Amino acid sequence: MEAGYFQPLNNHYKLAWIWWVILLSVQETLFYEDNMNIFTLWQISLIVFVLAYLYFLVRQRRFFVSNHHLYFTSDFRLRMQEFETSRLSSVKLYSNRIKFIYDGRYCQFVAFGSSHRLLMNALKENQVEYIDKRFSSSKKD
């Protein structure tokens, strides 16, 4: 079993990024309204919360590749999403992300470098048909 790192690109993850921007904006507004005095308990707690939120958004998540299966960890690694490679459809491979449909559910993940190559090799070894869009970046998808 081989492992790599990924970032999810589902709607929940995108919504979490939007909320992080909103929280950062609120924190900055309060900071400037308080005459740039950062040493209030409210400001410090809000900064710590915004930084902790950012950490949970950008931290790397693990995926594992085994024979005919892909396993993607969820938050805090409490459970894994299991994908059987024979049931993947509409697989599209970009330079740093992979999109596919699994049992009617749309999935999209970002993986860089050796992790992306590991996903490509897993698809090739399991003879999954995919569209390679790594070199056709001029077309919008």
Side-chain angles (χ1 to χ4, degrees):
M1 183 176 286
E2 297 179 78
Y5 295 98
F6 77 99
Q7 288 287 1
L9 279 180
N10 57 17
N11 289 334
H12 298 292
Y13 191 70
K14 292 174 186 176
L15 189 63
W17 271 104
I18 291 170
W19 275 107
W20 181 80
V21 169
I22 291 169
L23 282 173
L24 183 66
S25 301
V26 167
Q27 185 271 328
E28 288 295 315
T29 302
L30 291 175
F31 176 71
Y32 287 116
E33 286 292 323
D34 201 17
N35 292 326
M36 296 186 284
N37 183 9
I38 198 167
F39 296 109
T40 63
L41 182 61
W42 173 252
Q43 284 291 337
I44 291 173
S45 61
L46 194 54
I47 288 171
V48 168
F49 181 73
V50 167
L51 291 176
Y53 195 159
L54 178 65
Y55 168 74
F56 284 109
L57 285 175
V58 299
R59 77 186 190 293
Q60 294 284 319
R61 291 151 174 88
R62 301 278 306 215
F63 71 87
F64 301 95
V65 175
S66 70
N67 295 337
H68 310 293
H69 287 85
L70 300 173
Y71 302 95
F72 289 89
T73 60
S74 63
D75 291 326
F76 307 112
R77 297 184 185 166
L78 296 176
R79 62 183 177 87
M80 289 189 166
Q81 296 177 348
E82 179 182 352
F83 299 105
E84 189 176 334
T85 55
S86 63
R87 295 169 60 191
L88 297 178
S89 63
S90 300
V91 180
K92 294 179 184 173
L93 201 60
Y94 295 87
S95 61
N96 59 358
R97 62 192 159 114
I98 181 173
K99 294 180 181 182
F100 57 86
I101 296 175
Y102 184 78
D103 286 342
R105 192 177 74 201
Y106 174 76
C107 299
Q108 183 175 353
F109 301 104
V110 174
F112 297 102
S114 60
S115 297
H116 186 69
R117 284 190 294 278
L118 178 62
L119 281 174
M120 282 182 12
N121 291 338
L123 293 175
K124 287 179 186 176
E125 289 174 2
N126 292 307
Q127 298 159 347
V128 175
E129 293 182 25
Y130 62 90
I131 299 171
D132 193 353
K133 294 199 167 199
R134 288 180 291 162
F135 304 111
S136 61
S137 60
S138 62
K139 296 180 183 177
K140 294 280 184 178
D141 187 36

